[in-house]
Amino acid sequence: MREPAMPIDETARLMSLHSLRILDTPSEERYDRLTRMAKRLFGVQIALVSLVDSDRQWFKSAYGVSTTETPRDFSLCGHAILEAQPLIVEDALADPRFADNPLVTHEPKIRFYAGFPIEALDGNRLGTLCIIDRKPRELSEAQQRMLRDLGEMVERELMALQLATRDDLTGLANR
């Protein structure tokens, strides 16, 4: 298993994430609505809004799993935030980065993963909107566009939260 690398700008990325004060907060309908839509549109077993913290990935919204977080060192979302483009893993058992990952070999037994990296206003990638299934899959170009559209909707929700908590004059968090 290959652990996800740390982004070059990890300190700034974490500052951006923590400024939202969203970690460990209750679920919100604005995110739950989007994960429900993703689960239905793609016919997958799991859909998440995942935020990657320093040592964990935490789920702001989760459909199909009962846990609220997993360790970052074996999160697929930890890999997804390293790229500007979505990370699509058609068969995790066939991918050397993930074949022996505990999330693949044990519950939830991930075989398919597609994660759209969610960016903050400052460009830092904070997490993903991801869809997960227990069987290998492919995404058509139209489906990839739908994932991007839903991911951008999550991004806009987080950016609205960021704007609501930012001082217009200084640009600093005001909460």
Side-chain angles (χ1 to χ4, degrees):
M1 177 187 82
R2 195 175 339 154
E3 289 184 18
M6 290 291 167
I8 295 169
D9 59 349
E10 180 65 357
T11 300
R13 191 190 74 75
L14 287 172
M15 286 176 58
S16 184
L17 174 62
H18 292 171
S19 73
L20 293 173
R21 298 182 190 254
I22 194 172
L23 295 171
D24 300 309
T25 60
S27 64
E28 295 178 55
E29 181 59 25
R30 60 180 162 173
Y31 302 108
D32 291 346
R33 182 180 309 114
L34 296 170
T35 53
R36 278 194 311 269
M37 287 173 60
K39 190 172 186 298
R40 278 191 227 118
L41 277 170
F42 295 100
V44 293
Q45 299 200 341
I46 300 168
L48 307 166
V49 171
S50 175
L51 299 170
V52 180
D53 199 2
S54 59
D55 60 351
R56 65 183 174 148
Q57 67 174 349
W58 177 78
F59 308 138
K60 179 60 179 167
S61 179
Y63 272 86
V65 293
S66 58
T67 186
T68 58
E69 63 183 62
T70 64
R72 180 180 180 170
D73 54 345
F74 51 81
S75 73
L76 279 70
C77 297
H79 289 270
I81 66 167
L82 298 173
E83 303 295 328
Q85 299 301 314
L87 172 64
I88 299 173
V89 180
E90 294 178 351
D91 186 351
L93 279 177
D95 189 314
R97 295 172 295 178
F98 308 115
D100 60 347
N101 184 305
L103 298 174
V104 174
T105 59
H106 299 88
E107 286 300 322
K109 296 189 182 262
I110 296 171
R111 289 293 296 275
F112 168 80
Y113 171 91
F116 178 84
I118 304 300
E119 289 187 3
L121 285 169
D122 60 11
N124 282 303
R125 290 184 286 276
L126 306 180
T128 66
L129 168 71
C130 63
I131 54 174
I132 296 168
D133 212 343
R134 292 187 173 114
K135 61 183 182 218
R137 304 176 61 129
E138 294 179 4
L139 286 184
S140 68
E141 285 192 33
Q143 289 173 315
Q144 289 180 42
R145 183 69 216 154
M146 283 191 297
L147 180 66
R148 179 176 303 279
D149 289 344
L150 288 172
E152 288 173 353
M153 292 169 82
V154 172
E155 247 177 25
R156 280 194 295 280
E157 291 296 334
L158 285 174
M159 288 179 180
L161 177 62
Q162 204 169 18
L163 286 170
T165 61
R166 183 194 292 193
D167 180 88
D168 289 335
L169 182 61
T170 65
L172 300 174
N174 63 11
R175 286 203 292 185

